[in-house]
Amino acid sequence: MAAGRYARAVIGAGLLIVTLTACSDGERPGFGPGGVPIENFTAQQIFERGEFELDRSDPEDAAFYFSEVERLYPYSEWAKRAVIMQAFAFHQNKDYENSRGAAQRYIDFYPTDEDAAYAQYLLALSYYDQIEEVGRDQGLTFQALQALRTVIERYPDSEYARSSVLKFDLAFDHLAAKEMEIGRYYLRRDHHAAAINRFRSVVEDFQTTTHTAEALHRLVEAYLSLGLTDEAQTAGAILGYNYQSTDWYEDSFKLLTGRGLELKATGDNWLRQVYRQMVKGQWL
């Protein structure tokens, strides 16, 4: 009896090795000439095949094997592990839609599992890694921000929270860059009111980004072009108060003083309110 079990084990191991060798030549179990049906393998064997494909930098095939584990053994512990590995493999293959699907499935099925934080992080990355250059539509940036915020708020003590905070800040900066790009476009074409709306958005909604100083300087330019000196001087005063070491302050200083104006908060306008809040140590 023992000899029979040993023989079956040897045959099974040999079958797996043969199959793995065939797969290394580009075939999957159950596919191609002489392919062994994948149903003949255990969940663990198929899962390990997926890991093997990842190790040899073939995430597309890895995702296939992990998905087969889930399909053939849906209620096993291996299926649970295979779902999160699908999300990872799809992401490695830049198949972001399927990565999101697998990650969301894991979150839905196993919301309290220790890997749920990683699944949410992968879901956020599937948006974040698609963020295009500034000139493109920013819908994915908003979705990345929402998904990253979920990681930060739902899993604050996880190892992914800090990375999510950093990526959130970068994505937020990216949105501000989009507003600046559009604002500059309008300013170059003398559409000053439209430009002001964009720069105001940066000052009010994206004040923690790297674009605030330039936005204030562009407001100085736009308001001077419209003859609104109170607003221009107040924008300059904010630059002087908080960004005096920047080139944008120097440019605004030259622009305003060259017209006999000062960098001071004056008049009753939205920038004057911003200035008062900054002086009091408060922000919008």
Side-chain angles (χ1 to χ4, degrees):
M1 182 72 70
R5 284 199 301 270
Y6 176 76
R8 286 195 296 272
V10 170
I11 292 170
L15 179 61
L16 179 60
I17 291 170
V18 168
T19 303
L20 291 179
T21 302
C23 291
S24 297
D25 293 330
E27 294 181 6
R28 295 170 176 167
F31 295 86
V36 179
I38 198 168
E39 290 80 3
N40 287 14
F41 296 92
T42 67
Q44 181 177 351
Q45 288 173 328
I46 302 170
F47 185 92
E48 289 174 351
R49 178 62 198 178
E51 290 182 318
F52 174 81
E53 295 296 344
L54 280 179
D55 286 343
R56 68 179 195 140
S57 301
D58 190 347
E60 182 179 4
D61 275 2
F64 165 78
Y65 289 110
F66 293 132
S67 66
E68 287 297 279
V69 174
E70 186 185 11
R71 180 179 72 86
L72 294 171
Y73 303 94
Y75 305 110
S76 68
E77 184 64 24
W78 289 103
K80 175 182 173 182
R81 295 171 60 182
V83 176
I84 192 70
M85 292 305 294
Q86 280 180 70
F88 174 77
F90 280 129
H91 189 270
Q92 289 290 101
N93 198 43
K94 297 183 176 8
D95 185 349
Y96 298 116
E97 184 176 355
N98 279 320
S99 178
R100 275 196 296 278
Q104 187 62 61
R105 199 158 62 253
Y106 193 93
I107 295 166
D108 292 341
F109 292 164
Y110 315 107
T112 61
D113 190 79
E114 61 181 355
D115 281 331
Y118 182 56
Q120 180 63 48
Y121 182 65
L122 278 175
L123 192 152
L125 285 184
S126 73
Y127 289 118
Y128 181 84
D129 288 348
Q130 288 188 90
I131 294 176
E132 301 285 5
E133 57 269 20
V134 170
R136 301 289 181 84
D137 175 72
Q138 298 303 296
L140 285 170
T141 308
F142 281 107
Q143 291 173 303
L145 286 168
Q146 291 172 350
L148 288 165
R149 184 186 292 277
T150 299
V151 177
I152 297 164
E153 294 179 349
R154 189 177 297 172
Y155 309 102
D157 300 323
S158 72
E159 60 185 296
Y160 312 107
R162 177 174 173 77
S163 176
S164 294
V165 169
L166 295 174
K167 286 180 170 57
F168 185 95
D169 289 343
L170 289 171
F172 199 60
D173 196 85
H174 189 88
L175 285 179
K178 173 68 174 179
E179 292 296 297
M180 290 300 300
E181 219 238 340
I182 296 172
R184 290 189 213 100
Y185 173 86
Y186 286 137
L187 193 61
R188 287 193 298 269
R189 285 156 181 77
D190 296 327
H191 301 318
H192 299 108
I196 286 168
N197 286 336
R198 296 293 180 164
F199 300 137
R200 177 174 180 171
S201 174
V202 174
V203 172
E204 292 186 325
D205 301 327
F206 300 95
Q207 64 272 12
T208 59
T209 70
T210 60
H211 302 280
T212 307
E214 183 188 354
L216 287 164
H217 171 67
R218 300 301 180 190
L219 284 168
V220 171
E221 292 182 321
Y223 280 127
L224 284 179
S225 296
L226 293 174
L228 299 173
T229 57
D230 284 353
E231 287 83 351
Q233 289 180 105
T234 305
I238 297 172
L239 271 169
Y241 182 81
N242 219 31
Y243 304 99
Q244 198 169 64
S245 62
T246 66
D247 291 339
W248 301 115
Y249 167 75
E250 294 294 331
D251 291 343
S252 286
F253 181 85
K254 293 175 184 177
L255 195 58
L256 287 164
T257 57
R259 300 192 182 194
L261 299 170
E262 299 179 69
L263 285 74
K264 66 177 183 180
T266 184
D268 185 17
N269 53 69
W270 70 274
L271 281 164
R272 181 67 182 273
Q273 183 181 3
V274 171
Y275 182 82
R276 284 195 299 265
Q277 289 168 330
M278 289 181 64
V279 170
K280 291 178 182 178
Q282 302 171 350
W283 193 244
L284 294 179

